[in-house]
Amino acid sequence: MRQQLLFASADEPWTWVKGYLSGRQQTLLMEEAETYPYERPEVTVYGKAHRIPRTQIWFGDAGVEYQYSGLLVSPTPWPHYAQRLREQLRRDFGLMSNGVLVNRYAGGRDCMGWHADDEAELLPGSDIASVSLGDGRDFVVRHNRTGQKQTLHLESGDLLLMHFPMQQDWQHALPKRLRQQGTRWNFTFRCLIPGFHSCTV
Ligand SMILES: O=C(O)CCC(=O)C(=O)O
């Protein structure tokens, strides 16, 4: 029998469900994720253009455009198993989402710097669900005011629910881990305000 462990605390605005996906679900989703047409976009940081240190793709409902790191990205239609996971999250946790950002880390050099998912088009009050697959990696969170840090070692099949208003008070990052070579995928299911970027008023 599959074991799921749920860690939630009144002090922390996240819920960590270890082993949320079965081994079979992980395999099917990883096989699908290997077929996605990822991109490595260029972003401008402090006036300098860089390729991001990972590849990624945004899937979503029609018209749900996402702007991050200065890029405006139109949605690619939902692939089968990502769509099924979206429905599972809605059934299990009432998690509403209309898009998912998939990041693929081709080894321990690929990473994501400190940031919060606090873009203006995210629906106020909505939670973000992060599902990890493949190589286990450290995910670090840091409180904006106190500087308190915690490292969560996210393994394949784990779910991290980031509850509103975590993004206002905490930043997170996926640091480099040079000794790791395996591939990792991360799916963050988000709920955006539809039409946010097409509003011309
Ligand atoms: O890969 C991860 O676990 C982090 C992803 C992330 O921070 C994001 O998509 O905003």
Side-chain angles (χ1 to χ4, degrees):
M1 200 176 109
R2 185 159 52 95
Q3 198 183 25
Q4 278 190 9
L5 291 175
L6 195 140
F7 294 88
S9 140
D11 301 335
E12 295 160 347
W14 59 82
T15 304
W16 183 4
V17 188
K18 293 190 179 195
Y20 177 60
L21 297 188
S22 68
R24 171 103 183 119
Q25 277 181 300
Q26 292 172 46
T27 303
L28 291 171
L29 201 54
M30 277 190 277
E31 282 173 4
E32 181 179 270
E34 268 311 72
T35 69
Y36 296 164
Y38 296 96
E39 292 186 344
R40 188 185 293 274
E42 200 169 74
V43 296
T44 304
V45 184
Y46 299 119
K48 211 170 155 221
H50 300 269
R51 294 261 165 220
I52 62 167
R54 60 191 174 277
T55 51
Q56 63 187 31
I57 183 162
W58 170 244
F59 296 111
D61 295 348
V64 179
E65 294 178 318
Y66 196 16
Q67 186 160 37
Y68 53 88
S69 310
L71 303 165
L72 181 63
V73 187
S74 295
T76 299
W78 288 87
H80 179 72
Y81 287 109
Q83 163 80 12
R84 282 181 62 166
L85 180 52
R86 168 203 200 185
E87 285 159 11
Q88 181 178 338
L89 289 163
R90 183 175 46 75
R91 275 196 313 274
D92 290 349
F93 299 99
L95 191 289
M96 302 304 291
S97 62
N98 51 16
V100 62
L101 181 67
V102 183
N103 280 293
R104 181 179 187 277
Y105 304 89
R109 275 187 189 282
D110 279 6
C111 60
M112 191 176 294
W114 287 110
H115 69 285
D117 299 335
D118 56 359
E119 292 84 8
E121 66 265 51
L122 283 160
L123 187 73
S126 61
D127 292 352
I128 295 178
S130 157
V131 175
S132 295
L133 286 174
D135 221 30
R137 285 283 292 264
D138 287 343
F139 176 85
V140 191
V141 293
R142 179 177 68 191
H143 193 272
N144 294 339
R145 187 174 43 81
T146 65
Q148 180 203 339
K149 260 192 195 173
Q150 272 198 56
T151 299
L152 316 180
H153 187 77
L154 300 179
E155 298 277 7
S156 193
D158 285 2
L159 163 68
L160 187 70
L161 289 167
M162 297 190 274
H163 302 294
F164 183 85
M166 172 172 171
Q167 308 298 330
Q168 291 173 12
D169 300 330
W170 297 75
Q171 289 199 325
H172 54 270
L174 193 94
K176 284 188 186 190
R177 289 290 181 259
L178 296 184
R179 268 177 282 189
Q180 289 191 229
Q181 291 175 354
T183 303
R184 172 177 185 268
W185 297 263
N186 178 259
F187 290 63
T188 41
F189 291 83
R190 301 156 191 248
C191 194
L192 271 53
I193 301 167
F196 185 88
H197 290 288
S198 50
C199 187
T200 52
V201 183

